[in-house]
Amino acid sequence: MTAPDLQPAREAPVLLTLDPGLTATGYAIFRFPNPTQVTHSWEYFGSLYQASGTYYVPAGQLAGRLASLAAWTRELAHQYDPLMAFCEKPATARIYWGRKPRDQSGEGALNAADLALHHMARGAILSALGHTCPVEEVTPGKFRKSARHQLLPHIIKDLRKSSSHQRDAISLALVILTDSRRSWRVKKA
């Protein structure tokens, strides 16, 4: 049940981000920024990075998969003791029923049945984290693609060995860390 790349908990407060799925769930751990040391550089955000990875949910009946995901999430929270967690909530603008329309590229589009499974995985994660730390659901918005190209190479040395779920969890953390409504907002140098 333990993901092979879990690291020991750090003393500095950390935030946990999760990209939920019933097949695979990505996670990322970042230290909270120190507001007095925040600079507008990707290297600074790279220095906050602690760990990331992907949990591959064992195949089987739906209830067993949800239970496994919830147990893994509790174990991850116990390992890192996050001050706060963030779980991706999918944007629902590109939902389709049945077969994918021919005129759509398919990028970012979800079949309604897949969306329902995604919400179940999200529910298992939220339930598992509910008594551990505050959890906020976040729709990542447009930041994700630019963050990937600019920062991910600073964090993950070999992007080919990382899963899309792991990269999505890291990108979600960057959405959180650069959110202008939060007190640790990056101040321009």
Side-chain angles (χ1 to χ4, degrees):
M1 187 178 307
T2 303
D5 52 358
L6 291 180
Q7 304 289 325
R10 306 284 181 181
E11 288 189 25
V14 297
L15 65 90
L16 165 65
T17 57
L18 295 146
D19 177 44
L22 269 179
T23 305
T25 293
Y27 72 93
I29 307 287
F30 279 78
R31 286 191 334 265
F32 274 96
N34 180 340
T36 62
Q37 296 176 347
V38 175
T39 62
H40 190 66
S41 74
W42 294 118
E43 289 79 16
Y44 175 74
F45 289 116
S47 73
L48 299 176
Y49 172 78
Q50 298 293 299
S52 63
T54 303
Y55 174 66
Y56 293 96
V57 182
Q61 296 290 325
L62 180 59
R65 291 166 61 198
L66 291 168
S68 176
L69 181 58
W72 171 81
T73 303
R74 282 189 296 275
E75 187 176 318
L76 183 69
H78 177 74
Q79 184 80 18
Y80 285 100
D81 192 27
L83 189 61
M84 184 149 192
F86 298 88
C87 186
E88 180 180 331
K89 181 171 74 173
T92 56
R94 297 194 62 195
I95 303 301
Y96 63 91
W97 297 94
R99 298 178 73 191
K100 205 175 292 180
R102 288 180 184 252
D103 60 337
Q104 285 188 345
S105 68
E107 185 177 332
L110 282 174
N111 178 292
D114 292 338
L115 181 64
L117 293 174
H118 183 94
H119 283 295
M120 287 180 206
R122 215 173 88 238
I125 288 170
L126 294 173
S127 173
L129 289 174
H131 298 290
T132 305
C133 63
V135 182
E136 186 178 322
E137 294 181 274
V138 179
T139 304
K142 295 180 181 180
F143 183 82
R144 182 174 284 199
K145 204 171 240 183
S146 65
R148 252 194 209 147
H149 294 297
Q150 294 179 19
L151 183 60
L152 286 179
H154 294 286
I155 293 176
I156 303 173
K157 300 304 176 205
D158 190 354
L159 287 173
R160 294 171 295 172
K161 292 183 179 178
S162 64
S163 75
S164 64
H165 303 285
Q166 179 182 2
R167 293 187 301 269
D168 284 351
I170 293 169
S171 297
L172 182 62
L174 297 174
V175 169
I176 301 304
L177 290 169
T178 58
D179 187 338
S180 63
R181 296 167 292 181
R182 302 191 188 278
S183 62
W184 60 77
R185 172 71 172 137
V186 175
K187 296 176 181 126
K188 294 186 180 182

